[in-house]
Structures are given as structure tokens and as C-alpha cells.
Amino acid sequence: MAARLRGLQEVSGHGVRALAREVGLSSSSLSRYLGGQTVPPWPSVLALCKFVRRDPRPLRPLWERASSPLPAPPRSSRQVSPPAPPPDAPRPPRNDLPRDVPDFTGRDGQLAAVLDAVDSSRVVAVDGMAGVGKTCLAVHAAHRLAHTYPDAQLYLDLHGFTDGREPLGADPALRALLAALDVPSERIPQQGGIEPLAAVWRAELAHRRAVIVLDNAADAEQVRPLLPGAGSSVALITSRNRLLGLDEVPPVSLDVLTPEESAELLTRASGDGGGPESRLGRDPEATAEVLRLCGQLPLALRLAAARLRHRPGWTVGILVERMAEGASEFDTAFAMSVRQLDRATGRLFRLLGLLPGETFDPYAAGALADVAPRAAREMLEDLLDAHLVQERAPGRYRLHDLVHQHARRACAEHDADAVREKALGRVLDYYVHTAAAADAAMPFHAGTRAPSAGAPPAALPQFADKRAALFWYVTEYTNLMAAFEAAVAAGADRHVCELPRFMRTYFARRCGTTHLNFLFERSLDAARRLGDPWQLAEAHSDLGFARYNAGRMAEADAAYASALPLVAETGDTRSQAELAMRRGYLSWDEGQVERPLELFRLSGSLYEEAGCPSGAAHAKAYEAWALLQLGHGDEAARLAREALAVPHTDPAWPPALTARITLGVALASEAPDEAVGHLRRALELSREDGHRHNEAWCLNCLGVALRRMGRYEEALASHREAFALLDALFEDHWKIHFLDDYAETCRLAGLTDQALQLHREALELAPRVGNRHAEALAHEGLAAALEATDPAAAERHREAGRGIRGELQG
């Protein structure tokens, strides 16, 4: 009979406590029925069958046989009936533990921690979010301990988070536990409050070896009177809250299962068997989606597995469709945790469902709820204790996916549209203004205009230096991208325009150019919708610079051409200076000779007019670099020294870095020690700064300088290291700046075949990125490398190079 009842429970997909609640039974009674310790009354069997919609009639004969006394064996039987126990014999030990799940999976470390805590402290508290498997672990551990504690195995649901009922008070809890130990009623105090009852309970446990599971505790005060005192008995407590008031009780906190454990549990609980021919194995993509939707929560995995197990006609894809329709079981479970929060904390929890991105800190949470970061931090600690948020690193919080979904749904139900819109707006304001503050701590050269999107939050993180700012960018990168997408979706065009602008310096240090192009394309669309001339001018200029960095020269030229009249119309001298600098970079890479110098000089005069000495120094440093490439080494060195003399707090400030590189190459022949000193210092600063493109540039130029000194092996090693960096960055278009130098070093070092290969690579790459100067250099390099072995081919390349030079000069 018990086996058939367990089958009904499996069909229901409910745990013992949930099923008992649905059919109006106590969980302890249902546990005894399922374990075969007691035959249930027929009305209870009918209630179970009705709940799972099964015909009870086939169970009637089984129930009658189980309920009737066994017939006496025939006289001829050799069996001997056990003697009846004497009337005063003690009853067998009480065992109220729910059934231990047969598919218990993972949790090896946590189970060991629970058993160790029992050995050392006799009491342990298992805490974790709803559905994470606290009860399952505690019951599994209690079954493991049963042989060591043979006098009683008790289970009591304290209903701390049971929907529709109040938590169980200490008085009824103690009376239920004493009754489970068969304590005579005359020894149980009827008056005097909790303490006399607790004293009797402790006294009873003092001479027994019992294991007690106190499940679903609301808080420390609810469970404190139920703990054993002297003696050997042990207690295992579970709660969604961290029981901070029980200082003497060691905690074991549960997180979700690992991906591997989740997959194993789904396979075992579904009875699928696994393997490539099983339902789960035949559709690995749908199986992976089931695991994702379950969020690695054991309860969600078991519910999904039960639906699959009892619906043999379903594919895993159908299960995914049904699961995507909603998660009402979890909404009910999480709602009980939320109800324990005070009003302000509950409001913050709901609003957290609106946050873009995955993690957040008290500043972002404070902006969302319009409270100070300190107040937000206190509320987040309360949510952490309730296991409604997780703390992945100190001060960094996140919501489990299912909790995030619940918070978002709860916010939609309880908070008006206007409230949600304002909260999201405050978060977008926070990210734009904090990105601006971080950008200001990572000065490039000329600074950026203050943000105009939204209003600055009451409090922002403080960035002591560029390292702190860079760390913030790295930590918040995915959130910044999510905030950008949220701004696009919300039609917050000013935020869409400005957020990428305050990330340019970060992108230069950490990210490739593809994503930056995508962001500025969206920014340009937003600027057009705004109709703000300055925003539109900056958007065209920013997109042009992103195109340039991606090696898309023709598109960069077109974007700059669109920006030029718009920037002039704004009358913003600093914006005009920056655009002139950018056009100078582009014209140099296109192979023009005089035009870049004109643009760098124009930029310098505009920066001086705008009162920006740092920008003027940057323009001067690039003017020096351009003169060096044109063979004017002395003039280049003079201007580089002037730029280097401009004071700045950051030794890796770009003008100083450019000046050092220029001096290193310019002085390579006449002052090799000073040259190498400048280049090695620039390389060191680039590495400290985390700017990997600059690091590659320094390594390449160090190779050029060492080659000019005749130190070919050292030069080749430096070039190789530069190219290894570019390979790691996945930005092959940047190699066009270095291929000719590397090839020339190979040629002079006697590596002619490698030099030819590099020049040919440059000849193939240069037209793709629109760099005519590099194309001419490749032809000239091939002519030099082929002169001795194939004079005719060398002449053809020489003529091609002259033709390109003539086009560029014309």
C-alpha cells in the first residue's frame, strides 16, 4: 500500500509538506503513510487520489488487506508468529522524518559541513533562498545520523514561510515535540508560559540520543526555545533567513547547484536515464534551456523533471515552452520571504527587478530607490540575510534569475508606471554621471564636456586615481552595456548619446573597436532624433574616430566630413581642436604628407585658444611624431622635449608617452642609451596603464630603435612581442602600422624570406583598411628585399610605390 501511495506522491510532483497541505493532512501523518508505518484512513486515500485525479477503486483491495489483521497461519505451517509484546513494553522509537529523496545530488561539501557541525556543536543552521534544497539536505543528513541517534528522529515544520498561515509558535511547537516523545500529559506544564515547557523538553532530551529537524524557521527567536540543552541530542534547523541571533549555532549556507550537478539532478529526477538516445540527450539545446530556466535551483529542477517524467509524450522542447509561460510556484515561495521585509526594503527589492545588468552596488541601488548609499547598503544586508540577494564579492550584489523575475513581476503589480519610469531614469542618470566621473579620473588629454543627461545622483563613487576608475569600468562593463540598451529601449536619447562618449578612454585600454563602432552608430541615431547640433556634431566625430580605430578609413573620412560643418556651427573651440587631431591621424594613415602636419598644428592653436594646455601638448607631440616620420629628426626631438616638459600628474599621460616614443626613435643613432631609456620608460608606463595598444606601439618603436643601433636580435624580439600582443587583441588591422618596420628589421637581419612575407601581408592589408601610405611602404620594402634576387620584380614594386606617392602628393 505504501508503495502505491508513494507513486501518487510522485505523480503529484509535490514534496511531503506541500502535498499534505493540499489534501488537508499533517505532514508527519503523511510521512508515516508513505513510509508504511501506518495505514491511512480510507478518506485520506480518497483525498490523495482526488488531488492527483486518479481512480481510487483499484486501491481499495490493497487498503482492505493492509487494514485487516493478518490471518493466523495454518497449523501445518512451520512459521512461528512473534510473541505479542507485553502490555507495558515501550513503544518503538519515533521516526517522523520525511522520505529521503532517492535522487539526492551533489552537496558533498555542504553535507560534510552539516555533519561536522553536528559533531562539534550538536546544532547546525542550514540557510538559503527558497527552492535551494535546505530541507532536502537537512532530511538527508538526519537519515544519515539516524543510526547514531536511535532514540527518536523527529521532524517539525515551523511554517516560517508557509503561504496562508502564521509561523508556528513556541508553545504549540514544544507540545507537539513532547507528544512525539510520548511524554505523559501530566508531566507537561499547562500554565506558566514557554520556559516551563522548554525546560521539560530539554530534560527529556538530556537522557536520549535523538535527532530533530526544525524545518522552515522564520527567525532565531522562533527556534531558540526548541534547541536541546545538555545531553547528546542534536538539532538541524533550516531557514530562508540567516539566523544571526543564534551566535552559538554554526551556519551552513546553500547556493544553487553547479551546472554539472544540475544536469545530473534533472536526469535522475526525470527518470530519463541520460545518454544520446534519451529525451534529454536527443535535444541538448532544449535541455540546456531547461537548466537555464531552472536557474540551477533543486526545487525548480525537480518540478521540471516531474513534468517530464509523467508526460511520456512530451519532448524537452514542449517542456521548455510550458516553463517559459511562468513560474507561479516560485512567485508564491519568494512572496513569503518578501512579506517579512519592512516597507522600504520591500520597495527596494521590487525595484531591483528593474536594474539593467547582472550585479550592482549600494550606489546603483541607492539611485534606483532614491535613497543614500548607506541606507541602501543596510537594506541590501537585510535582503542578503533573507537570501533574496546574493553577495558575489564584497559590496557587489546580484539577484538569482528566478528571484529577479519575481521582483520584476512584483514591481509591475505593485508599483505604478510612473514610479518604475522614474526609478529606471535615476539608474540611467547614475551610470552616465558615474561614467563621466570615472572618465575624468582617466584623463586622455583635453577632457570631455560634463554630462547633460538627467540629473546627477546625490552620491557617486569617488575615484582616487585612474586605477580606481579603470577597476570600476571593468567591474561595471556589462552593466554599462545593459544600461545603454535600456536607454535605447526607453527612448532616453541623451543618455544614448553620452554614455559611450564617457567610455572612449576605457575602450582604448580594454576593448576592441567593433563594439565601440556599434555604440556610436546608435548614438548618432539618437543625436539625430534629439536635433541637438552639438550632440550631432560630437556623434559624427566620435563615430569617425571609432571607424578610424577599426581601420575603416573611407567611412571615417565620411563621418569627419559630416562632423566638420556641424562642429564649426557650434563654435566650440575644444571640439574643433579634437576633430582636427582626429583628421590628422586619418590623413597621416592615408599617406598624406603635409596635411597631417597642418592639422596637428591647427589643433594645437585651437587648444591654446580654448585654454587647454594639455590638448596643445598632445597636438605638439603628434606634430613631432609626424616630423620624425618625414625625416626631420632634429625638429621632431625639439618639439618632443617641449611636449614632455608640460607638467602633468600622470606619467603615462598620452602627450608624454608620444614624446618619449618620438625621442627614442629620433635619438637612436646619436644617443642610443638615452633613446633606449625613453622607449623602455614608455613601455613600462604603458604596461602600468593597462593600455595594450600603446604597449604594442612602444615595443614596435623599440624594435626600430634597436635595429638602427645594429642590435638585430633584440630588435626582432621586440617586434615579435608587439605582434603577439596584437594577436591577443584580435585587431589585425592595427598591424598595418608595424608591418613595414618589422619587415625592414628582418631584411637587415638577413631574414629575407620573412621580410618578403611581411611586406606582402602589408600589401594585402593596406588596401582593405584604406592606408595608401602603408601600401606605398610595402611596395618600396618589396623592391628593396627583391633587388638582389629579382631585379625586374623589384623595379615593378618601386614603380608602384612611386605612383602611389605621386597620387598622395598630388
Side-chain angles (χ1 to χ4, degrees):
M1 186 66 191
R4 297 296 295 273
L5 294 178
R6 289 195 294 272
L8 293 177
Q9 184 208 354
E10 290 183 358
V11 170
S12 75
H14 284 54
V16 174
R17 290 184 291 120
L19 182 57
R21 184 169 61 249
E22 294 291 347
V23 298
L25 298 173
S26 70
S27 57
S28 58
S29 296
L30 182 57
S31 295
R32 291 195 295 274
Y33 303 157
L34 296 173
Q37 297 161 309
T38 308
V39 178
W42 181 244
S44 297
V45 178
L46 289 175
L48 287 166
C49 291
K50 181 179 180 182
F51 179 71
V52 298
R53 298 181 181 179
R54 293 292 189 272
D55 186 356
R57 287 174 292 183
L59 294 180
R60 184 72 188 194
L62 290 174
W63 179 83
E64 289 177 348
R65 286 198 297 273
S67 302
S68 302
L70 292 173
R75 291 182 180 273
S76 60
S77 172
R78 294 178 179 268
Q79 297 176 346
V80 179
S81 299
D88 57 349
R91 294 177 61 182
R94 181 70 171 260
N95 189 334
D96 289 341
L97 295 178
R99 184 173 65 102
D100 191 10
V101 293
D103 54 24
F104 186 85
T105 303
R107 303 297 193 204
D108 294 339
Q110 294 87 347
L111 178 60
V114 167
L115 298 177
D116 289 345
V118 166
D119 286 342
S120 61
S121 302
R122 296 179 39 243
V123 182
V124 63
V126 180
D127 58 67
M129 66 186 294
V132 81
K134 302 179 294 296
T135 300
C136 188
L137 174 63
V139 169
H140 183 72
H143 279 282
R144 290 275 297 267
L145 293 166
H147 70 283
T148 309
Y149 299 90
D151 295 337
Q153 297 88 43
L154 306 183
Y155 172 88
L156 183 64
D157 188 345
L158 299 177
H159 296 293
F161 299 89
T162 302
D163 190 24
R165 64 176 296 173
E166 291 295 316
L168 189 65
D171 185 290
L174 286 166
R175 293 185 186 281
L177 290 169
L178 290 168
L181 292 181
D182 288 330
V183 177
S185 59
E186 61 271 16
R187 290 173 49 195
I188 299 177
Q190 301 303 313
Q191 296 179 351
I194 302 302
E195 187 50 42
L197 280 171
V200 173
W201 166 243
R202 291 191 295 269
E204 287 296 327
L205 291 182
H207 61 272
R208 302 176 193 255
R209 295 183 61 80
V211 56
I212 306 103
V213 176
L214 301 171
D215 194 20
N216 204 10
D219 52 37
E221 296 309 311
Q222 183 190 23
V223 79
R224 192 187 307 279
L226 314 182
L227 299 182
S232 302
S233 294
V234 299
L236 289 73
I237 311 163
T238 76
S239 179
R240 295 187 196 177
N241 291 331
R242 291 177 175 166
L243 302 179
L244 302 177
L246 299 179
D247 296 334
E248 72 281 10
V249 176
V252 174
S253 294
L254 295 192
D255 203 342
V256 296
L257 297 173
T258 66
E260 296 76 18
E261 291 169 344
S262 300
E264 181 184 351
L265 177 56
L266 181 65
T267 300
R268 295 179 63 188
S270 65
D272 190 60
E277 298 306 315
S278 67
R279 278 188 289 177
L280 296 172
R282 286 196 301 269
D283 196 346
E285 291 185 4
T287 300
E289 181 63 8
V290 171
L291 295 173
R292 187 192 70 79
L293 290 170
C294 290
Q296 298 169 229
L297 274 175
L299 177 58
L301 290 162
R302 284 198 169 91
L303 289 173
R307 297 174 80 177
L308 197 62
R309 184 176 67 245
H310 297 296
R311 292 163 178 82
W314 276 20
T315 64
V316 185
I318 292 174
L319 175 62
V320 169
E321 292 174 5
R322 297 293 190 275
M323 291 177 66
E325 293 172 357
S328 59
E329 302 94 339
F330 296 99
D331 281 335
T332 300
F334 297 140
M336 290 304 302
S337 295
V338 175
R339 285 175 196 168
Q340 288 203 337
L341 304 172
D342 62 56
R343 183 174 179 180
T345 307
R347 173 179 175 269
L348 173 62
F349 171 74
R350 295 194 306 273
L351 293 177
L352 288 174
L354 303 177
L355 272 177
E358 296 181 355
T359 66
F360 52 93
D361 63 10
Y363 286 96
L368 180 73
D370 199 19
V371 299
R374 180 175 179 179
R377 185 179 294 108
E378 291 173 355
M379 288 188 277
L380 288 171
E381 290 299 314
D382 289 341
L383 292 172
L384 184 66
D385 290 338
H387 288 284
L388 288 168
V389 302
Q390 300 166 320
E391 190 175 22
R392 291 304 191 203
R396 297 297 306 181
Y397 303 89
R398 73 178 295 272
L399 296 177
H400 184 279
D401 288 347
L402 294 179
V403 178
H404 187 273
Q405 292 172 17
H406 173 75
R408 195 173 186 88
R409 280 193 288 266
C411 190
E413 292 174 6
H414 293 92
D415 299 295
D417 291 347
V419 171
R420 298 198 303 275
E421 289 172 8
K422 288 181 179 178
L424 179 60
R426 288 192 298 269
V427 169
L428 298 180
D429 292 349
Y430 165 78
Y431 278 116
V432 169
H433 285 267
T434 310
D439 184 59
M442 299 173 63
F444 182 60
H445 57 86
T448 305
R449 179 182 290 190
S452 62
L460 292 175
Q462 299 300 306
F463 303 109
D465 53 33
K466 67 180 179 183
R467 289 177 177 80
L470 181 61
F471 180 78
W472 182 84
Y473 274 121
V474 171
T475 302
E476 295 282 358
Y477 176 73
T478 57
N479 295 333
L480 288 163
M481 295 300 97
F484 180 83
E485 293 298 334
V488 171
D493 287 334
R494 199 164 292 276
H495 297 78
V496 174
C497 282
E498 295 189 346
L499 187 57
R501 191 168 301 144
F502 295 120
M503 296 184 67
R504 291 177 305 181
T505 308
Y506 167 71
F507 267 95
R509 284 163 168 75
R510 281 293 186 270
C511 300
T513 54
T514 301
H515 204 172
L516 189 58
N517 273 270
F518 171 76
L519 294 179
F520 279 127
E521 287 166 8
R522 310 279 284 278
S523 292
L524 179 57
D525 292 339
R528 285 172 174 149
R529 289 191 295 269
L530 283 173
D532 182 325
W534 187 84
Q535 293 283 9
L536 190 59
E538 288 294 293
H540 277 292
S541 179
D542 286 340
L543 181 59
F545 195 53
R547 297 287 198 239
Y548 165 77
N549 279 297
R552 297 158 66 173
M553 302 302 179
E555 294 172 83
D557 197 19
Y560 289 154
S562 297
L564 193 58
L566 294 167
V567 170
E569 182 183 343
T570 66
D572 188 320
T573 309
R574 184 173 294 194
S575 295
Q576 293 173 17
E578 185 171 33
L579 180 57
M581 280 293 295
R582 291 172 168 182
R583 291 170 62 218
Y585 305 149
L586 176 63
S587 60
W588 176 261
D589 282 353
E590 288 176 337
Q592 299 179 41
V593 180
E594 299 298 331
R595 186 61 175 154
L597 278 174
E598 293 173 7
L599 288 166
F600 293 142
R601 287 166 179 160
L602 171 62
S603 176
S605 64
L606 287 169
Y607 275 129
E608 288 177 357
E609 181 183 340
C612 183
S614 61
H618 191 72
K620 182 171 290 188
Y622 258 90
E623 182 185 350
W625 173 254
L627 285 167
L628 176 66
Q629 308 310 304
L630 294 172
H632 306 302
D634 292 341
E635 180 67 6
R638 183 185 66 79
L639 289 176
R641 291 187 194 280
E642 289 180 9
L644 195 58
V646 175
H648 199 277
T649 57
D650 183 5
W653 181 48
L657 201 69
T658 303
R660 286 188 184 280
I661 293 170
T662 301
L663 278 170
V665 177
L667 300 175
S669 300
E670 61 185 67
D673 290 342
E674 183 182 353
V676 170
H678 282 300
L679 287 164
R680 293 204 184 280
R681 179 57 176 156
L683 179 59
E684 176 188 343
L685 291 170
S686 296
R687 286 171 172 163
E688 289 178 1
D689 195 35
H691 198 315
R692 303 186 75 186
H693 294 87
N694 279 348
E695 184 181 348
W697 185 27
C698 292
L699 285 164
N700 181 71
C701 291
L702 179 60
V704 172
L706 291 168
R707 177 229 298 160
R708 291 184 178 181
M709 301 172 198
R711 296 157 62 174
Y712 295 132
E713 290 302 318
E714 294 174 77
L716 288 169
S718 192
H719 286 303
R720 291 183 189 116
E721 193 174 350
F723 273 74
L725 266 178
L726 294 180
D727 286 336
L729 291 170
F730 296 101
E731 295 205 287
D732 285 348
H733 62 276
W734 264 72
K735 293 180 180 178
I736 198 63
H737 301 292
F738 307 150
L739 280 165
D740 176 69
D741 291 331
Y742 189 7
E744 181 65 7
T745 302
C746 288
R747 184 180 72 83
L748 293 175
L751 304 175
T752 306
D753 289 344
Q754 190 172 345
L756 288 170
Q757 178 185 343
L758 291 168
H759 282 309
R760 285 169 180 149
E761 187 178 339
L763 193 59
E764 180 182 349
L765 180 59
R768 289 210 310 266
V769 299
N771 193 320
R772 296 285 280 163
H773 172 63
E775 189 176 354
L777 285 175
H779 280 297
E780 292 161 359
L782 283 167
L786 291 168
E787 188 66 48
T789 57
D790 193 343
E795 184 58 29
R796 287 195 298 273
H797 283 294
R798 195 174 292 111
E799 282 297 320
R802 280 197 291 264
I804 294 172
R805 294 292 183 201
E807 291 174 20
L808 293 172
Q809 292 173 1

